Amino acid sequence: MTALDDALGDVYTEVLRRNPGELEFHQAVREVLESLGPVVAKRPQYTDAAVIRRLCEPERQLIFRVPWVDDAGRVQLNRGFRVEFNSALGPYKGGLRFHPSVYLGIVKFLGFEQVFKNALTGMPIGGGKGGSDFDPKGRSDAEIMRFCQSFMTELYRHIGEHTDVPAGDIGVGGREIGYLFGQYKRITNRYESGVLTGKGLTWGGSQVRTEATGYGTVFFVQDVLAARGASFDGRRVVVSGSGNVALYAAEKVQQLGGVVVACSDSSGYVVDDKGIDLELLKDVKQARRERIAVYAAESGARFVEDGSVWDVPCDVALPCATQNELDGGHAETLVRGGCVVVAEGANMPCTPQAVRVLESAGVVFVPGKAANAGGVATSALEMQQNASRDSWSFEHTEARLAEIMHGIHERCLETADEYGRPGSYVAGANIAGFTQVADAMLALGVI
Ligand code: NDP
């Protein structure tokens, strides 16, 4: 662990005291604070106005009961969350996660990260996150709909296009956004398209939103490679997960000439040196909602049950599943296998130990705040189209996404240089995101 100077150490101690047991939130805060030493040394006004302390305290945290009835007529009970973290730059913006592991500490880590990520995009959006400990696996379509309707029956009073604009995350895709939007519309009697993003293309959605997080991550890595005179052409790439982010990261890698040799889900991984058949994988995972072993059986790829996808040697690793999925041991394996770049498509998939191993071995590491910001940036483009009642072409929207990712890449490197950490995407992303939000907070007074 990097030592924190006195002022930042005090902030961290206070975060631990006020948020007991929320380990992921502690980890996310610590990771940002470790980058801020040079900033507080240069700009004491942030400490004087308690900007960092205030940034670590969400503006509002909502926890609510979500009762619903399953197909057998039994009453089920889940817990819903929405953490409205920071609105200095715009309405709270960030996804909803439905997964049994969800609790307040996970929602707060995600909301905290989102504040800096959204600032980095340069777009007028604050940060928030939400979700539920609901497990969608094995649930029928009708059960998913009833759950979403119950969830929105509470959430609707807290959100709005100028207040808080949720989107998808793990377990929440186009189907769930549809049921959530339908219930919002029904309760409020308003066709307020800008209240949710990730909508279907025929009812207010944006081209490229589905692909944006994965594509954006790969655009970022393309810039990283180009800065070293290299490209994706012929590179072996391993992607973890096989959900929204993973599938479209894999698609863009293939379009750019790379070979995706392995991907995974929570049951294990598949590996195929010839490259994954993406059309089949999409059919298995998106259309049929099956496990990845079914893909292996139908494609002839090798399936390794409960194995670690990081055992597969590669040039570029894209963790796109979930937090803390790549630890120090996995990082050592990647280094031994010749990996040169690790970029986080997921939020905080690499443990602090993994990041240390990668950086000390000279592997380029790109944190999720920068690498996966294309999803929320395209959500902001969806909001722009909703506000102007317009819809843009796929090509135009993808070009905007590429331009935004290129801008984030430049900003990270310039900021890292300015604060004496040349080449560090971690320092660049944390400091650039932080100063943007902190300056707005200073301007808005003590609120
Ligand atoms: P999906 O639900 O579409 O896919 C998640 C994938 O990760 C699935 O393959 C899933 O496997 C796997 N996974 C989830 N939890 C675990 C776990 N505990 N252990 C092992 N594997 C797991 O989610 P997304 O693709 O939308 O999100 C993936 C990551 O990207 C998350 O960290 C999310 O916060 C982040 N992200 C998403 C954005 C978006 O636009 N969707 C934007 C920015 C970041 P299984 O099906 O077996 O559970």
Side-chain angles (χ1 to χ4, degrees), residues 97 137 169-171 209 213 242-245 266 291 321 346-347:
R97 175 177 294 192
K137 276 205 193 73
D169 190 80
I170 290 178
R209 176 61 191 90
T213 309
S242 48
N244 173 271
V245 179
S266 56
R291 312 304 294 152
N347 286 311

Side-chain angles (χ1 to χ4, degrees), residues 1 27 31 34 324 326 328 348 350-357:
M1 250 187 223
Q27 182 183 336
E31 193 260 333
E34 284 182 0
N324 293 329
L326 196 165
M348 209 168 75
C350 297
T351 65
Q353 176 62 11
V355 177
R356 273 190 292 279
V357 169

Side-chain angles (χ1 to χ4, degrees), residues 206-230:
S206 172
Q207 295 283 356
V208 193
R209 176 61 191 90
T210 305
E211 297 85 352
T213 309
Y215 276 22
T217 301
V218 174
F219 286 144
F220 198 104
V221 177
Q222 193 181 20
D223 276 353
V224 170
L225 293 169
R228 286 152 183 81

